[in-house]
Amino acid sequence: MQTFDFDLFVIGGGSGGVRAARMSAQRGARVALAEFAAMGGTCVNVGCIPKKLYSYAAHYGDSFEESHGFGWVGEAPTFDWGLLKANRAREISRLNGVYLQLLDSVGVTVVTGWARLLDAHTVEVDDKKFTAKNILVSTGGTPTVPTVPGREHVVTSDQMFDLNPFPKRLLVVGGGYIACEFASIFNGLGSQVTQVHRRDKLLTGFDDDVRRFVAGEMSKTGINLQLGTMISAITKTDDGLQVEVTDHQDKPASFLVDSVLYATGRAPNASGIGLEAVGVAMNKAGAIQVNEHYQTSVPSIYALGDVTSRLQLTPVALGEAMVVVDHLFGPAAGNKPRSMSYHFVPTAVFTHPNIGTVGYSEADAREKFGAIRVYRTDFKALKHTLSGSTERTLMKLLVDDATDRVVGLHMVGPDAGEIVQGFAVAMKAGATKAVFDSTIGIHPTAAEEFVTMREPVKAPEGISPPGR
């Protein structure tokens, strides 16, 4: 019988990899984890956590201005970019240490260096070989920049947290959630922000009402949205970066900026780790293909998280990790083995204002369920009756007419993620519109609007209204 150094060797110290390593060790497995960079992966170091911290920072600029309507007088403090960067770096360093401590406390062997697969049971890290009964690849994703003249002058989301100096003029390329978040953040911190997107709407894949509404709200904050626009060249000059663009009619324009952020997509971080040589199957996008247990085409090798390109969300990777742990080492006492569902996964986008969403968009709900009812409202939040802000809030419910089940819930407004999380639990449990209607709202809050919407909006022309 073959013996191995470890029961599980994890490649990648992001959220999913750390969770799988830690919980496997708690089940009694011998576990090692290899990571060449700071522990915590994208989320902790250059993703969710620092991005949310910077989003908080960006909101203060508006808050100081809005406070005058509530009786606060005097000048607002000035913004210190260097101080924010230093405070963020200190907090991220603390979290790196927390992750290492969590692994050490359960006996996980941490190996620092670049890991590469040699065969189905062997990993090499800086010329040292380790064997394992099973190997888990959780190497995440990485930003991509398309081929465009002058691409060597741009930055990606990985560099945005430590730009030096602060970009007084920023051009953001892309229309996905990362592009929209950074446009909102740096606009709030004081940059003059232009956002260029080749399509005619932001946030492909989100509900169309959300896409239209958030674009309008972002524009109101001062972001210069240039939709239907392509970058043709970027040139470095003495005065900054000269960015040449064209619209769908080939009409040219140019912008002079200090920094250009390309946020046009992320790719699985799957190169250089020996996957092809070992025979691990990947799809055309370079993502590792896995089954319901996150097992690859090589039975002893598993993969999860962004490197598999299913749903690129940290909580999804954490859920996938627990499926792998239960599959390999059995569930915790008294529990059934976990499975992963990708239905009704809530998410938030930290634009200004925030987006929170769970379930189907209106277009997808009509395709899936046929007859649906749509409830929608937008309003000025109570806070802004005194703040002077013109910001509005959007809320939308989608209901399957046949079952009365709420199948889509969308919000654009302050703290949308905090509000939608609780509703996601109800929707996962199958809550109907009747349940929503019978729930007492918390007054006065924005969230109560979700349980007080009574009249569905009229169906779009050409779509039959529900038969109720």
Side-chain angles (χ1 to χ4, degrees):
M1 181 177 178
Q2 187 175 1
T3 59
F4 301 100
D5 298 327
F6 298 98
D7 300 309
L8 177 67
F9 196 104
V10 179
I11 302 176
S15 299
V18 169
R19 173 66 62 88
R22 182 166 67 92
M23 300 308 294
S24 295
Q26 285 187 353
R27 306 277 166 88
R30 298 169 301 147
V31 182
L33 182 147
E35 173 57 66
F36 78 99
M39 197 65 68
T42 295
C43 178
V44 168
N45 294 288
V46 289
C48 321
I49 301 301
K51 185 173 60 182
K52 186 70 180 289
L53 291 174
Y54 279 24
S55 180
Y56 284 135
H59 276 292
Y60 279 105
D62 288 336
S63 295
F64 290 130
E65 183 66 28
E66 292 169 359
S67 70
H68 299 321
F70 293 89
W72 293 91
V73 296
E75 294 297 320
T78 57
F79 173 60
D80 187 329
W81 173 237
L83 180 58
L84 174 61
K85 290 194 295 182
N87 289 344
R88 180 219 83 233
R90 185 175 63 251
E91 172 59 13
I92 298 309
S93 179
R94 185 189 71 83
L95 292 175
N96 297 149
V98 168
Y99 272 64
L100 284 168
Q101 193 278 328
L102 288 172
L103 294 171
D104 181 68
S105 67
V106 292
V108 174
T109 299
V110 175
V111 184
T112 302
W114 185 271
R116 184 169 62 92
L117 294 163
L118 296 183
D119 59 42
H121 295 283
T122 308
V123 177
E124 182 181 60
V125 184
D126 295 340
D127 298 323
K128 187 173 182 180
K129 295 180 176 63
F130 303 89
T131 61
K133 183 177 181 180
N134 291 290
I135 298 168
L136 173 63
V137 179
S138 57
T139 47
T142 188
T144 61
V145 178
T147 301
V148 61
R151 72 190 297 270
E152 67 273 15
H153 303 307
V154 312
V155 296
T156 68
S157 57
D158 286 357
Q159 290 86 49
M160 291 302 292
F161 302 102
D162 276 309
L163 290 178
N164 187 28
F166 180 80
K168 294 181 179 179
R169 302 163 299 177
L170 174 67
L171 188 138
V172 177
V173 185
Y177 73 92
I178 295 175
C180 292
E181 288 175 331
F182 277 111
S184 288
I185 287 168
F186 277 83
N187 177 66
L189 293 176
S191 285
Q192 179 185 326
V193 177
T194 299
Q195 184 174 356
V196 172
H197 183 41
R198 61 188 176 89
R199 301 190 180 187
D200 60 358
K201 293 179 184 176
L202 300 174
L203 296 168
T204 300
F206 284 75
D207 184 88
D208 282 342
D209 279 334
V210 169
R211 299 171 72 188
R212 285 189 291 266
F213 191 87
V214 79
E217 293 298 308
M218 288 174 64
S219 294
K220 281 161 54 175
T221 67
I223 295 171
N224 177 18
L225 286 180
Q226 297 288 323
L227 301 178
T229 302
M230 297 279 289
I231 303 294
S232 52
I234 302 166
T235 306
K236 189 172 184 178
T237 73
D238 291 340
D239 296 322
L241 298 176
Q242 189 76 32
V243 183
E244 307 294 336
V245 303
T246 56
D247 64 15
H248 286 336
Q249 284 75 44
D250 291 328
K251 181 180 177 181
S254 66
F255 301 94
L256 184 64
V257 299
D258 301 306
S259 295
V260 177
L261 164 63
Y262 254 85
T264 51
R266 294 176 64 84
N269 197 15
S271 61
I273 57 176
L275 295 169
E276 297 89 346
V278 177
V280 173
M282 294 181 282
N283 63 22
K284 293 181 180 179
I288 299 175
Q289 295 181 311
V290 295
N291 63 17
E292 69 274 16
H293 300 300
Y294 304 97
Q295 190 175 36
T296 72
S297 57
V298 178
S300 60
I301 299 176
Y302 293 74
L304 58 79
D306 290 3
V307 75
T308 66
S309 282
R310 290 191 171 187
L311 278 180
Q312 296 182 352
L313 298 169
T314 295
V316 169
L318 295 175
E320 292 172 346
M322 293 312 303
V323 174
V324 172
V325 172
D326 284 1
H327 175 69
L328 291 177
F329 306 111
N335 294 331
K336 295 180 179 179
R338 302 194 197 196
S339 60
M340 187 69 190
S341 170
Y342 297 93
H343 295 292
F344 298 105
V345 174
T347 190
V349 182
F350 297 107
T351 45
H352 295 189
N354 295 175
I355 300 169
T357 182
V358 59
Y360 293 84
S361 67
E362 181 176 343
D364 289 343
R366 291 191 185 281
E367 181 178 350
K368 172 73 174 178
F369 302 103
I372 64 169
R373 303 195 303 282
V374 179
Y375 299 81
R376 182 175 58 239
T377 183
D378 75 86
F379 55 91
K380 178 183 283 191
L382 176 63
K383 173 184 177 181
H384 296 316
T385 61
L386 296 185
S387 74
S389 172
T390 62
E391 180 183 277
R392 295 184 68 80
T393 294
L394 170 73
M395 291 183 170
K396 184 173 181 179
L397 290 175
L398 305 169
V399 180
D400 173 24
D401 200 50
T403 63
D404 197 45
R405 183 178 180 182
V406 179
V407 296
L409 184 146
H410 310 277
M411 176 179 175
V412 181
D415 299 315
E418 307 290 344
I419 291 170
V420 168
Q421 178 67 82
F423 285 106
V425 175
M427 291 174 62
K428 190 75 173 177
T432 62
K433 184 61 167 66
V435 170
F436 272 58
D437 291 344
S438 66
T439 301
I440 302 299
I442 301 172
H443 184 74
T445 66
E448 69 177 318
E449 294 291 329
F450 276 127
V451 297
T452 59
M453 287 188 277
R454 295 291 186 264
E455 294 297 324
V457 300
K458 292 181 180 179
E461 189 173 340
I463 297 178
S464 299
R468 280 179 179 261

